[in-house]
Amino acid sequence: MQAFGRQASNADATLSEKDISVRCCKQFNLATTSFEDLTPDDIRRPSTVYFSVALLGEYLPNFSAKVGKLGSKTDADAEACLVKAPMLADLTLWSQWTDIYEPQLGPLLEWLEHGRCNRQVLAVATRDGKLLRVDGDASVDSFLDAVINGRSLDVAAQLVSLVVLYGGAARTPKALLQTHALKGLQIYFDRARVNNGRKRKQENRHEAACFILDCLASAPHDFIEFSAEVLYAGLSRVFPDAGSLLLQNCSSVLHHLMLHRVGLALGVPQWINDYSTFEAASHADESYRDSSSACENHFKKPRRDETVLSERQPGSQARSVKKEVADMSEESLDSDAREVVRMIRKDEFGFEEQDEVTQSGLLAKQHARMGRALECLSQNLYSEDCHFILELVQNADDNSYPLNAHPTLAFIIQKDRIVVLNNEKGFTAKNIRALCDVGKSTKKGVPAGYIGHKGIGFKSVFRVTESPQIHSNGFHVKFDISESSIGFILPTWVQSPLDNAYLENVLSQATGEDTWCINTRIDLPLRASVVEANSMSRMFQDVQPKLLLFLHKLRTVVVKNEASDSCLTMRRQDIGNNIIKLTDGRSTGTFLVVRQLLDAPMDRAGVPDTELALAFELKESRDGHYAALAVQQQVFAFLPVRSYGLKFVVQGDFILPSSREDLDRDSAWNQWLRAEVPKLFLQSLHCFQSSAVFGSRIEAISSYLSYVPVEGEVLGFFSSVPRIILSLLRAAPCLPVEGSELWSLPCTTLRGWGDAFRLLVPDDMLKKYLGLLYLDREVIISDILASALGVPEYGVETLVGLLKAAAKSLDDLGIEWLRRCLVEIHKCFAYEKQNFVHQEQKVAGTLRGVPFIPLSSGGFTSLEDGLVWFLDGEGLQGHSKDFLDLYSDIRTVSPFLIDEESTAGTIKEMLVKLGVKVVTAHEVIKSHVLPAMASVDCLEKDPSLLLQYLAYCALHFDKLDNCRSCQAEKDGLLSQLRNTAIVLTKDGLRSVAEHSIHFGKELGNIVDVEKLLEDAPVPWCEVDSKYLQFNPSPAFWRKFFMSLGVSDFINVLPSKVRVGDKSSTVWKNESWKHADGNTAWIIQDWGCADSFRICNALARSGRPENCRLFLTVLDSMWDEHYDRFSKGSYSVEGAPSIGDDCESSFVLQLRGYTWIGSSLDHQLHKPTELFHKSVESMLGSYVSYARPQVGSSKLAKALGLHTEVRLEDIINLMKLLNEREKEGSCSISIGQMERVYTFLCEKMDKQELQRQFESSTYIFLPSVRVTRTNENVTGNLYSAAQVTWEDPFGFDDSTDGKVPVRTLCHVYSAEMRDFFVEGCCVPDVPDFDAYISILQHIAGTVPPSKILDKARKEPVLELFAHWSRELDNGKMKPEELDRRTNALRASGAPILPTTQNTWTGLTDADRILCWCDDAKLVDAFDYLDSAVKFVDVGRSSAPIMSFLTGIGVSRFSEVVEKEAIIYGPNSSPELENIISLVLPYGQRYLIQFHPENYRRCKEDGCLREFQCFIVDRLFSRYKLKSTGFFSRHRIPCNCLLEDNKLYVSSTHIQEYASIFLELSRLFFSGTQHTPLANFLHLVALQAKGLADDDDLESLVSSSQNLMPLPTEEAPWKLGGSQRHNPSTSTMAARADEFLERQRTKSKTARHSIEAPGDSAVLQKQNVIDLDDYNFTEQQADDAQELSVVDRDKLVSSRPANREQQEVTGRNGEKMVYEHLCRKHGQDAMVSWVNEEVETGCAYDIVVEWSDGRKKFVEVKSTRSSSKDWFELSPWEWEFASKMGDGYSIIRIQMLQNKQQARLMTFDNPVQLCRDKVLQLAVLVPHS
């Protein structure tokens, strides 16, 4: 629509926005639109789509005209024009509706939808907006006639009309239409051959193709696909190459394009390929150009007699001859019935003799196959058994009867059979032969149609019987399927029945006839299943009297049930006048039956014509007349099918599917019959109108209307019938006229009228003005049906239409008629309002445009012509004569209209609702004064009138208490008055909305404007004092005019501004949303021309006194008068959303001029350059403040004074402080700096904050100690890297300030820590490099003795301990420390204090750098000072050990090695054997738990050079590595490993624990590994006690979770030449055997090393925390109550599972280990041998003191508080006996629920047992 607006503006620059909107509505069929936001940029923007309405300009109709170009037109005129339009004509174009009718009647579509056309003018609205006329009388016959006669336009019109009438393409009988199209084309060619002889085939093909193309071209675009599907199907059956044929005969590009569209929709390959060729071409090919001559072929209409002759006569003659020959041959065989049966058996089935059933093999198979097919067909053809009854009834109706016979059919139901009796003439040989075949029924030539098309109706009896018998005319046969597989059609002769006389007697009693002749009898012996089910009574329930309604011959049907002794006799009686009465002995039904014989429109074998009938059920009244009984009825196809919702019975020769339970919906025959039902229903209208059985024509038509179906009532196949019936009835004169014998169309008959209306509007007047007739008031018609037929309903719309049509004749009709008409409208309006509230506005809107209101000045007017008033008097009286000019402008209603008291109130009420106003002061203001001042010509009126306008408003508003309306609408009225008021000023008339108007001194203005302006060229407009003549009080007028916007000082006015490029406006510096190069905005602004002029004048004059006065006046008046004008709003042009706030131009102008003084100089500044006093606490005296000070915070904000500190202000402040620092005058208070830093923390992004403080010196530190934070102090500025928050180690204090550390915690409050540390990245403490620098500084100034004074804090050692903790917990990575260590080595910086009271670095080539971990070891050497430097580690080395180790400072013990001194070395087979035994287990242990050590040992080959010796005497001495220093003394020892040689003193050969502990150094780089030693010790001990090595393997593997040796690994053995005879020692032999077994096991061992088992995992889980428990410790020998007492049983707790026991044991060992570490950690080394894995040793913990003492501790854990015993293994007891006082048992009770742990220590448990403190117990297993 924007493109449309641009084109319309370009075409005619004088068009207003309203004109463009109106044209847009016409172009796009819209209700409303708006082009208020159309910008010049939009107008200039090009478009590739052009709109006709936008371009035509003056050639367009006058859309604002109220009368057409041919004068006033009525609904009747429009109706008369439209009914003349041809079918498919564009009604808008045909009638020239836009120019002639639309100005008065509105758009054509709305006019038609509102039903204002009384005659039936049907139209279809297409997608392109056209309204095309369609034929309401269209039918499939008219379509066929159009095809036959070659009328292409009629063909298209009929197809479109049928789609409309049937309610959609899906409901339209497409199959029937396709059949008719084929039939029509065939008739044409037949006739062409007759008339023109043999015509060339090519010409026929050309004519047919042109005709189809013309038909498709005539169809509307929306209907082309449907039309093509119908016509193309017919043509393709005549010409198989129809697709190519049509393509070849296209005569224009439009034809090709049309076929392309249809081809894409229907999938025609030739047309789709042609489209592809057309699309690929660069321009239209010659074959697509219009030819010089168009195809104008028209089929000639054939004569009916010619058509009948060519189509029917030959066939009829052939059928007649064949029938006569057949009858002769069959009748010749009637003489011998038995011979006929024999011939059938012989000729048809190959049986020579009747009694023989001997068949050949091939014949037997054929008969069996035929039998199965017949059986399946007879069983599956019908879904219910009762269908055989209906088939027998139909057969009986088809039979021939004697002349005097009463056609009767009887069913005798007996216990095990059914007997069917019929008084027809009897069977012939032809009938018998038909029963012996399938598809050869004798009923095919029945003129009125037939039932079914398979010819097997009689076969349905096999549903209930296996051997039906037929006795008729001498024939006595049966068809027995139990005897033969083809028994369905194989006749067998039987004997004649003997009980005919009995049955005739029964029938005579049932029918009342004296004699009853049985000519045909059928016996049906029932199947056993049917007899058992006893279902015969249920089957015959479907036999109803209506069965006789459409039968041709049968008049009586009898059903006699001998089992229940019941008899049902159904009779039909033809009364006359198409009335048929049915009785069954219990009830009677009467029907009006209408029939019609139809010529078959399509080929159907044997059916040249057919009959269609409708039956309307009636009920008889007391006076002998009939009335309708409109209930749902069934549809019959000679037999009842089902109900579809119709209220009348339909009988037709419909084609049924095999089930016969519904109609074949896709059958063209059925669709044709369905299309004939509405026509026959319309014909039945004449039967009702002319029949005398209803008593009167009113009763007759009321009955008829009750049968009319409406849409939604009928379902299924007949759902389209109601629409067609209603369409036909709309065009038929079917409704009676009141007081006349005439019949009228529904659309011209008015219903629901009353006597009052008929008196008001006589018959001739109703017809004259509305073209309607009165419907007879006695006619009964439902509202739904009346609406569907288009019957006009009497109501408000009728009266309004009448008043509108008679408006021009009101002078002739008179005021009295008008008064009565208005009263009637009011009554109808009041009634209909309750049901149709939504119509109130619509009707009122229509009446406002009708000129029916009489004026006092004469003539009639409408409310659209202007406001109309009632001369009520209230509004005009009570005021002075000064307002007479005002009263003369008001139009009033003629008093004659309301001079009758009975109707005056009603008419007033109605006219008031329509908009006629009562003249009150409130209404005068609202409806006259305000619109008058808003008019464009208001300034041209007399100033005295405008003076009265405003004075009238002021005086009335002063008395609001007397006017409730004004109280409710005061705000709205004042708003309108502010926008429209015209004020008389000293300079003339001025609009308040457009000019700035002020009070003068006469009206109480206290501002000295003259002094302020002082000869400045500023215009100043003041109110004229003439208003005082209406009220002399200035206060009265000040209050009124101030409400309009008049003020003492500057005046601010609203405005709406469109901004395309804001860079040239006062908003150029504003940041708005959606800003881009093409954006335009709409601004709701507040502007002040006064302030603009004043500021401009002050800026030019440069007078500070005037500026101060202007600012002072603004400051005093701002909050009350001007603050609300500081904000406007803006929105993107064309956007529907509400705009965002923006600064008003009033405020931006105040900001834009230099007119305010400053605190730092005597110059004038712009307000935006100055600060408000509110920021002084943060910015101090470093910025300029406005002078005089502004007291109003709102004014300060509006002027743009800096009322809040901005980020750039703080940055500028910091830069200024840096400049002052360079000058040596940086002075500021700590409190101010904290406020600055707090602001930065809140406002600045964290990353930007870090960047600023890292790159700039923003951190202020005073030069002197600060005592008061609010006092200015001098100082310096630093960056974040130059300071730290605190020094936790106190270097500054320890060095007495000689080593300055810039810390902030002593200057700023603790709340500032997060800002500096987290926000500015100030180090919380100095980092590693900073501390290194500090240490270097200390090393140059302070000796270690001062810094390591034991009585004071030791910052250096605390620093080293801190770094050690960071290494331990991973905060400092080892690689990071290595990098720093390399840097320290490279620099040689002295950072380590030594015991020699010096500082040293990490590089000293002359001496070894280490720390003392063994004082006794140090004492063993002399003259160490020349070779070793000891780092001073203070009182304990443990806290700093990790750091020293990390930087390469070793323990002294690590730089010292032992040297063996031996005497008498000898080999020891016993020692070698025990080591050989345990080595494979040690190998597996290392593989599983220490794979890295195993890999290193394997690579080094340590075992290859390993040897062990027994020496007589063994000593050791210490040697300082890499030097020649030795210890002073040698030390005797038990065993010693030196250079892969193990020396064992001969006196200690049995001390395996010491031997294996020393041996473990071989695998752990010279370091003893206690767990491995304990494990090897356990293996050795267990090897002694076990005789079988398998037991040893099992015990060790299970207790240690030790995995087998991998296959690829060979078991370890001792290297070298030391081998001894196995016989020298039993243990040696066992060792060799064991090694051999290890080799064998290794071949099958697993190839991968698995993780420890579940038990090992459990040991490391669920470990409790020692700090959670309270410990109590007790010695066993300290408590006498611990003595064992005699008792006969042990106290135990609930037994725990193995996993729980392991967890408990693991937790107990951990708690005891941590307890002993706390207890002895300072004096001894505590080792937990099971810390990594369960070793199986006889002890769990080893405590080793520095003097060599050892204590072996076994832990026994329990969670029970009552358990007083524990287990002890034999090797634990053995080890305890050997160690004596060196062995202890600690029993721990962990009471988890109480968080307590009780420790009981048993030192030397063996001795305690001897002392009877403990007691041993032996548990005996149960027998």
Side-chain angles (χ1 to χ4, degrees), residues 1539-1556:
D1539 297 333
N1540 290 348
K1541 295 179 178 63
L1542 177 64
Y1543 301 100
V1544 180
S1545 176
S1546 59
T1547 59
H1548 297 81
I1549 190 64
Q1550 296 297 328
E1551 295 183 3
Y1552 295 147
S1554 300
I1555 293 173
F1556 293 140

Side-chain angles (χ1 to χ4, degrees), residues 101-159:
Y101 300 99
E102 186 169 343
Q104 280 184 285
L105 305 182
L108 176 59
L109 179 60
E110 295 181 5
W111 187 79
L112 289 173
E113 285 182 337
H114 293 163
R116 294 166 65 179
C117 180
N118 293 326
R119 285 193 249 179
Q120 189 181 30
V121 178
L122 298 183
V124 59
T126 60
R127 283 181 296 177
D128 53 5
K130 294 181 179 180
L131 284 172
L132 307 180
R133 188 180 182 189
V134 294
D135 187 2
D137 299 326
S139 65
V140 292
D141 291 340
S142 58
F143 166 73
L144 176 61
D145 182 70
V147 175
I148 292 173
N149 291 280
R151 299 191 301 272
S152 57
L153 180 60
D154 285 352
V155 170
Q158 292 300 308
L159 285 174

Side-chain angles (χ1 to χ4, degrees), residues 851-1113:
F852 73 94
I853 302 175
L855 295 176
S856 300
S857 59
F860 294 86
T861 186
S862 68
L863 290 172
E864 290 183 354
D865 295 335
L867 201 58
V868 183
W869 305 82
F870 279 120
L871 189 59
D872 202 18
E874 179 184 350
L876 297 178
Q877 297 174 1
H879 292 290
S880 66
K881 59 183 179 179
D882 296 330
F883 298 108
L884 293 179
D885 293 340
L886 170 63
Y887 301 150
S888 62
D889 287 345
I890 302 175
R891 301 192 306 164
T892 58
V893 178
S894 172
F896 296 105
L897 185 63
I898 53 175
D899 60 357
E900 187 175 322
E901 294 184 2
S902 60
T903 59
T906 299
I907 295 177
K908 279 187 178 181
E909 179 184 356
M910 190 181 90
L911 293 180
V912 167
K913 288 183 178 180
L914 293 178
V916 177
K917 305 298 180 182
V918 177
V919 179
T920 62
H922 173 78
E923 293 297 338
V924 168
I925 294 173
K926 181 178 179 181
S927 302
H928 182 73
V929 172
L930 293 178
M933 287 194 293
S935 63
V936 294
D937 58 345
C938 181
L939 292 176
E940 300 176 2
K941 294 184 179 182
D942 188 357
S944 62
L945 178 61
L946 295 175
L947 185 70
Q948 293 181 30
Y949 279 169
L950 214 54
Y952 188 91
C953 294
L955 294 177
H956 180 69
F957 287 160
D958 187 51
K959 300 178 181 180
L960 287 179
D961 296 339
N962 299 330
C963 182
R964 295 181 179 179
S965 299
C966 284
Q967 292 177 7
E969 302 179 22
K970 177 183 177 182
D971 295 338
L973 293 176
L974 286 176
S975 176
Q976 295 183 49
L977 196 59
R978 278 192 293 269
N979 295 329
T980 60
I982 304 298
V983 180
L984 182 62
T985 68
K986 296 177 181 179
D987 298 325
L989 294 174
R990 295 289 185 272
S991 171
V992 174
E994 298 176 0
H995 297 83
S996 179
I997 304 175
H998 312 89
F999 294 111
K1001 292 183 179 179
E1002 301 88 350
L1003 295 178
N1005 190 352
I1006 60 175
V1007 178
D1008 192 352
V1009 180
E1010 294 181 0
K1011 181 179 179 181
L1012 173 65
L1013 299 179
E1014 202 170 3
D1015 298 332
V1018 178
W1020 197 258
C1021 187
E1022 296 181 348
V1023 178
D1024 198 305
S1025 60
K1026 291 182 181 179
Y1027 287 98
L1028 293 174
Q1029 65 181 328
F1030 297 96
N1031 190 322
S1033 172
F1036 170 81
W1037 292 107
R1038 284 182 62 83
K1039 178 181 178 182
F1040 173 71
F1041 280 115
M1042 287 177 69
S1043 66
L1044 301 182
V1046 178
S1047 62
D1048 289 324
F1049 199 41
I1050 58 176
N1051 205 353
V1052 184
L1053 299 175
S1055 63
K1056 183 177 180 181
V1057 183
R1058 183 186 181 278
V1059 175
D1061 181 11
K1062 69 184 182 73
S1063 61
S1064 60
T1065 66
V1066 294
W1067 293 281
K1068 59 185 177 182
N1069 296 324
E1070 296 292 306
S1071 297
W1072 290 349
K1073 299 178 182 177
H1074 315 294
D1076 55 52
N1078 298 324
T1079 303
W1081 294 274
I1082 300 299
I1083 305 174
Q1084 304 295 335
D1085 186 35
W1086 293 101
C1088 180
D1090 297 333
S1091 64
F1092 169 74
R1093 300 186 188 100
I1094 293 173
C1095 288
N1096 190 24
L1098 294 178
R1100 290 182 179 180
S1101 64
R1103 298 178 180 177
E1105 297 81 5
N1106 297 54
C1107 293
R1108 284 195 294 270
L1109 179 59
F1110 185 46
L1111 181 59
T1112 301
V1113 174

Side-chain angles (χ1 to χ4, degrees), residues 120 135 178 206 287 395 421 611 643 649 684 698 748 1286 1438 1447 1466 1472 1617 1659 1678 1687 1702 1709 1753:
Q120 189 181 30
D135 187 2
Q178 292 173 343
H206 172 73
S287 60
N395 289 340
L421 306 176
E611 184 181 76
S643 173
V649 181
S684 65
I698 304 302
T748 61
E1286 63 176 343
I1447 63 176
N1466 298 301
E1472 291 180 2
S1617 61
Q1659 291 174 1
D1678 294 341
R1687 58 183 185 270
E1702 292 179 1
E1709 291 180 18
V1753 179

